[in-house]
Amino acid sequence: MVTAPRPVSLSLPPMKILGKVVLGMLIFVALLVVITFMVRYLHKPFGRPPQAEAYQHLSYYQDGKFQNPVETPMLKITESWPVMKRYMARDVEKIPAPNYRFSEQRLPGGDSASGVQLNWLGHAGVLIRSGNTYLLTDPVLVERASPFAFVGPQRFFPSPITPEDLPELEGVIISHDHYDHLGYESILAIQHKVKHFFVPLGVGETLRYWGIPEDKIVEMDWWQAYESADYKITAAPARHFSGRFLSQNNTFWASYAIELGGQKIYFGGDSGYFGGYPEIGKRLGPFDLSLMPIGAYDYAWANIHLNPQEAIQAHQEVQGGILLPTHWGTFDLALHSWYEPMELLVAESKQAGVPLLAPMPGQWVTPSAQTDARWWQQYRSSQ
């Protein structure tokens, strides 16, 4: 009697299947770790996180993260999709007209003009001058607000003063490490002209990683001051967050008081509204001028960005004098029209009786100058 051969089983024993799954997962995790390491440490624009041990003694540093002075809920990952749907469906004017281009406009008298002068280069970048002393805030002059050259928000217009044309700078003042405030290409392009970089705690590690010499870096905690013969810079609180790549809040953020040429200027950097503004005004003010952020707001992240009405309130509480608006009209970073922050600010400032200094990019002005706060209207593409 011939016995039929047994059918060959093509299935693997359960333990072998489990072993292959585990091996596959380990390979995937290993690749992810390698890719993350390569991106973090080989793609320079991401920067480098600081060592947490340096900040363990601070009361507002917990579990490896800097904390805001008040509880600041952030947008959760589960809330991102509704925001993305609103972003894709938004019916707003995303960019200005094509002729939205600017060049440097000198004051009468040129370099011999006296007193403090300011030039808004776009977003949070302001060049401040008194005599031969120049300070620059948050330069993102040539790159996208992104770690990549091929994707991310791009400037609506080239900087009216290029890095090559900038003067020698006594100081560059950085409010925090987000890509729209700390630009890798810009820092490299100007670093040979800069005497000091004033940065919040932890941001110095990124500058060192980019090759900035240690003796040029001044890391500052809130209320710490640096004083030279010509100017004084004091770091002050803000309500924001930080992060460049797969990390968040491992570096600090700040606003600043700047004393230069016999005048006081408040640089708000980037912040949501919080109750600390009166203390800033009391301790460091009153100010002749405030550089106050007014744009890229939305109710989804209302805790970390000022809207125009809040900017007016914060300006009044720091005793800001004249308000020069920043953080608008340069990048498409929110869901509102590009011009909406200024449109609202003009109305709010009139109602509150707050004087505005609203120059076009590239236009040198003094704090007492008269500017047309509605210059942007000619660049609305929907006119």
Side-chain angles (χ1 to χ4, degrees):
M1 180 177 180
V2 178
T3 304
R6 290 184 176 182
V8 177
S9 174
L10 299 180
S11 61
L12 295 172
M15 289 304 295
K16 287 188 176 181
I17 294 175
L18 180 60
K20 286 183 175 290
V21 170
V22 171
L23 179 61
M25 292 178 63
L26 289 174
I27 293 173
F28 174 78
V29 170
L31 286 173
L32 185 62
V33 169
V34 170
I35 292 171
T36 300
F37 176 85
M38 291 178 65
V39 171
R40 161 61 80 182
Y41 292 99
L42 299 183
H43 189 59
K44 286 281 189 176
F46 282 131
R48 187 167 62 188
Q51 297 296 317
E53 292 77 14
Y55 312 112
Q56 299 290 356
H57 64 287
L58 299 175
S59 61
Y60 40 82
Y61 189 83
Q62 300 172 13
D63 301 321
K65 304 289 183 184
F66 285 97
Q67 309 292 320
N68 275 295
V70 295
E71 186 177 357
T72 303
M74 302 287 288
L75 185 69
K76 298 181 176 63
I77 294 179
T78 55
E79 300 168 335
S80 298
W81 176 238
V83 174
M84 185 61 66
K85 286 196 295 184
R86 285 198 296 123
Y87 185 86
M88 291 185 293
R90 61 185 175 148
D91 183 19
V92 300
E93 190 172 309
K94 303 176 182 66
I95 59 174
N99 63 331
Y100 191 67
R101 295 290 184 272
F102 307 93
S103 58
E104 183 179 10
Q105 299 180 29
R106 287 283 180 181
L107 280 170
D111 292 338
S112 64
S114 61
V116 170
Q117 303 163 42
L118 304 100
N119 197 316
W120 180 50
L121 305 182
H123 207 53
V126 180
L127 183 60
I128 308 169
R129 174 193 178 211
S130 176
N132 293 320
T133 301
Y134 289 85
L135 303 172
L136 176 62
T137 64
D138 284 359
V140 181
L141 307 177
V142 293
E143 61 270 80
R144 296 173 182 266
S146 164
F148 303 108
F150 55 88
V151 67
Q154 191 168 16
R155 286 183 64 115
F156 296 152
F157 61 96
S159 174
I161 304 178
T162 66
E164 295 75 23
D165 291 335
L166 282 172
E168 296 293 315
L169 300 168
E170 279 292 316
V172 168
I173 303 168
I174 304 296
S175 63
H176 63 298
D177 69 3
H178 282 156
Y179 297 109
D180 59 323
H181 292 259
L182 177 61
Y184 171 68
E185 291 182 34
S186 294
I187 295 298
L188 292 193
I190 67 175
Q191 62 91 18
H192 64 287
K193 298 182 175 184
V194 182
K195 189 172 181 179
H196 289 111
F197 290 89
F198 298 96
V199 301
L201 297 176
V203 178
E205 188 64 26
T206 284
L207 295 187
R208 285 186 281 271
Y209 179 52
W210 291 348
I212 306 302
E214 181 70 38
D215 61 1
K216 286 190 174 187
I217 301 170
V218 181
E219 289 195 56
M220 306 181 77
D221 197 354
W222 291 346
W223 309 118
Q224 284 187 335
Y226 177 95
E227 189 167 4
S228 77
D230 299 313
Y231 64 92
K232 181 179 179 180
I233 295 173
T234 306
R239 187 188 188 192
H240 203 55
F241 72 113
S242 65
R244 289 183 78 84
F245 175 72
L246 296 182
S247 64
Q248 189 168 293
N249 296 345
N250 55 13
T251 63
F252 213 13
W253 45 92
S255 61
Y256 294 88
I258 303 166
E259 297 180 40
L260 176 68
Q263 295 192 298
K264 288 185 177 182
I265 299 169
Y266 176 69
F267 172 49
D270 207 354
S271 179
Y273 180 79
F274 70 114
Y277 287 115
E279 183 182 10
I280 294 172
K282 182 178 180 180
R283 294 179 62 166
L284 302 176
F287 298 95
D288 299 284
L289 181 76
S290 80
L291 313 179
M292 198 66 73
I294 66 167
Y297 48 82
D298 188 82
Y299 65 79
W301 51 84
N303 294 318
I304 53 155
H305 276 174
L306 294 171
N307 62 38
Q309 183 178 15
E310 292 169 330
I312 291 285
Q313 183 176 354
H315 166 85
Q316 292 174 318
E317 290 179 349
V318 299
Q319 304 174 60
I322 300 165
L323 193 159
L324 191 156
T326 66
H327 209 272
W328 77 282
T330 311
F331 295 106
D332 182 23
L333 297 175
L335 283 73
H336 55 66
S337 293
W338 70 270
Y339 60 83
E340 182 185 288
M342 269 302 293
E343 184 177 52
L344 296 177
L345 183 72
V346 169
E348 293 287 345
S349 64
K350 185 177 181 179
Q351 183 175 348
V354 170
L356 289 184
L357 179 65
M360 292 186 292
Q363 179 184 1
W364 281 101
V365 292
T366 63
S368 61
Q370 298 294 315
T371 56
D372 179 6
R374 296 184 180 274
W375 59 263
W376 46 270
Q377 290 182 333
Q378 62 185 302
Y379 298 105
R380 287 187 55 179
S381 57
S382 59
Q383 291 189 106

